[in-house]
Amino acid sequence: KRWVLEITHLGYKIFKKILSQDQPLVNFGKIKLIPDTLKIDEVVVQVRREMYKQKGDTLMVYPQAFRYMEGDNLLEIFRQIPGAKVTEEGDVYIGKMKIEKGLVNGRMLFGDDVRTLMKSLDAKDASVMAIYDEVDEKDEILRGDNARKRKVVNVMTFQQFTSYLAGNMMLEGGLDKNKDIDGGRQERYCANGDIGFYREQQQIRLKGGIDNRNLIIWSPPSGYTRKWNAGAEVNSTINESNRYAVSYDYGNEYSTEESLSNINYFPTDQFQSQFSENFNYNENDEKNHRIKLEYNYLKQRKVNIDASCDIGIYKSADLSDYYSDTYRDDVLLTKTERVGHSDNNSVNISPAVSFTKNIGIGGLKVSVYSNINKSNGNEIRNDTTFTVGFKERTVLNITTKRPDWNIVPS
């Protein structure tokens, strides 16, 4: 009868000895294990990072623990957070509260423009995002401890920067799928873009675009629409208490509509047939200018002053032509022409001032605003009918003017 003695240890060769019944007592002395090296295949160890955690009243989000593609912005991270909602416009809601203030490394790099922050910063550049509630400073002056709270996000980035340049552009074009009255297909195109320079003390943004995709669908037959838009805005922080903003927007919409129709009348006892050929053309040109000035003075928990002035200028010109030829038994009976032209101009000025002061037991708020509107217009219409059989001609000229003033203080 025999026994086998084995001594094993990770990384060493097995020590093995055979014992027999003839050796009731064996002294091995000091046993030395010989190191052993074993080559194995490559092993990859993966540990999933923590995606988010609650730290007191602050939700800490770690963007690098989420899955995203190259070029994705911060909105892609929020789409994966339970309880968060991202709208088509780029607004982010945590629960029912909208994120109204955005910081980059503790600085208001993008001012009050949270949408641009979300769309401009790449997910790969963010190391951690802190989301928390903050008391609205303006509402605190009026309501004290009962002031409303707003949601804030502070994005910490791997690279520290004090300014940011962001731009977007979209181009598209092609042929209209619908044919015009001549049987051709109009070229359609759209180009929009904006560029902004952002830093803590000042944000400047320029935008512009053109669009003739005919998104205004005329009832057949066909029409043409072209839109222009351009604008600029500047937001600046003078110091801790004083801020101002200036913006200008321009819009132009030019559209035409033309139609060609034929009408057949049933024969009667007096004539065999009657046929009418009608052509209608309308043209509209609208221009809008808007200038907005804003100023804010805020002394924490004491005084808040908001002043603004909104100026709008509107101009519109309309032209219409109508031609109609009527034939009886293939003989020209009448020719009718109606030509119309109208102009409309208006200016709207809306100044407003709001003053809020904490008076100890609460807040006192006084607001004064007014709306001043001046508009005028004129219309000219010429109707001409020529009857072939009777050699008669009738001309109707109409001219009207519509001046108007409207002032509404409050």
Side-chain angles (χ1 to χ4, degrees), residues 95-188:
K96 295 183 179 180
M97 293 183 66
K98 175 184 174 182
I99 295 181
E100 301 180 38
K101 182 178 178 181
L103 306 174
V104 180
N105 300 318
R107 299 179 177 180
M108 292 191 66
L109 192 64
F110 291 86
D112 296 326
D113 195 350
V114 181
R115 288 183 182 177
T116 300
L117 185 155
M118 296 291 185
K119 295 179 180 179
S120 299
L121 288 183
D122 288 343
K124 67 178 182 180
D125 294 331
S127 61
V128 62
M129 296 189 297
I131 304 171
Y132 54 92
D133 294 342
E134 179 183 83
V135 175
D136 189 321
E137 295 176 342
K138 293 183 179 181
D139 200 48
E140 187 181 21
I141 297 174
L142 186 64
R143 304 179 188 276
D145 295 336
N146 297 319
R148 79 176 191 93
K149 293 185 178 181
R150 58 182 177 178
K151 193 70 73 173
V152 182
V153 60
N154 184 17
V155 183
M156 307 302 293
T157 60
F158 293 107
Q159 180 183 358
Q160 299 292 321
F161 47 82
T162 58
S163 60
Y164 201 91
L165 181 66
N168 297 282
M169 179 171 287
M170 186 272 290
L171 300 171
E172 61 177 301
L175 295 177
D176 200 325
K177 65 178 182 180
N178 300 315
K179 294 182 179 180
D180 56 26
I181 61 174
D182 298 324
R185 298 182 186 274
Q186 296 287 337
E187 291 184 353
R188 303 299 181 197

Side-chain angles (χ1 to χ4, degrees), residues 261-275:
S261 62
N262 299 320
I263 302 177
N264 288 295
Y265 299 92
F266 292 104
T268 66
D269 295 338
Q270 286 76 27
F271 52 87
Q272 293 182 357
S273 65
Q274 188 163 310
F275 172 77

Side-chain angles (χ1 to χ4, degrees), residues 81-93:
I81 299 177
K85 178 185 176 183
V86 179
T87 66
E88 293 183 1
E89 295 78 14
D91 294 324
V92 178
Y93 288 81

Side-chain angles (χ1 to χ4, degrees), residues 359-406:
I359 56 176
I361 58 175
L364 174 67
K365 183 176 182 178
V366 179
S367 299
V368 179
Y369 64 91
S370 178
N371 185 68
I372 305 171
N373 179 271
K374 179 182 180 182
S375 61
N376 62 71
N378 61 78
E379 181 179 359
I380 300 174
R381 191 174 78 247
N382 296 324
D383 290 359
T384 302
T385 302
F386 176 61
T387 305
V388 176
F390 298 96
K391 306 292 185 182
E392 292 181 356
R393 180 181 177 87
T394 302
V395 179
L396 177 64
N397 294 308
I398 300 176
T399 302
T400 60
K401 291 187 177 180
R402 302 184 303 278
D404 181 52
W405 272 95
N406 184 25

Side-chain angles (χ1 to χ4, degrees), residues 168-310:
N168 297 282
M169 179 171 287
M170 186 272 290
L171 300 171
E172 61 177 301
L175 295 177
D176 200 325
K177 65 178 182 180
N178 300 315
K179 294 182 179 180
D180 56 26
I181 61 174
D182 298 324
R185 298 182 186 274
Q186 296 287 337
E187 291 184 353
R188 303 299 181 197
Y189 51 84
C190 176
N192 289 288
D194 65 83
I195 186 171
F197 179 75
Y198 304 91
R199 58 180 182 177
E200 188 175 12
Q201 298 298 322
Q202 191 174 65
Q203 298 85 42
I204 302 173
R205 187 181 178 209
L206 305 174
K207 60 182 179 180
I210 182 173
D211 187 348
N212 84 331
R213 291 175 297 172
N214 241 31
L215 296 182
I216 298 180
I217 303 175
W218 299 98
S219 178
S222 65
Y224 171 81
T225 303
R226 184 195 65 225
K227 297 180 180 180
W228 287 89
N229 70 83
E233 60 182 86
V234 177
N235 295 277
S236 186
T237 301
I238 303 173
N239 52 42
E240 191 178 72
S241 301
N242 294 272
R243 298 177 63 191
Y244 73 87
V246 181
S247 65
Y248 169 75
D249 288 286
Y250 168 77
N252 173 228
E253 181 174 320
Y254 173 81
S255 61
T256 63
E257 177 191 9
E258 55 184 16
S259 61
L260 182 63
S261 62
N262 299 320
I263 302 177
N264 288 295
Y265 299 92
F266 292 104
T268 66
D269 295 338
Q270 286 76 27
F271 52 87
Q272 293 182 357
S273 65
Q274 188 163 310
F275 172 77
S276 176
E277 185 178 63
N278 308 294
F279 176 76
N280 189 64
Y281 176 81
N282 293 293
E283 182 178 312
N284 174 261
D285 191 6
E286 296 181 1
K287 294 182 175 66
N288 292 280
H289 301 266
R290 185 184 180 188
I291 302 172
K292 191 171 185 179
L293 310 173
E294 296 176 287
Y295 169 77
N296 171 253
Y297 172 81
L298 177 63
K299 194 168 184 180
Q300 193 173 20
R301 299 184 179 180
K302 292 185 178 181
V303 178
N304 178 62
I305 300 174
D306 284 310
S308 66
C309 185
D310 199 334

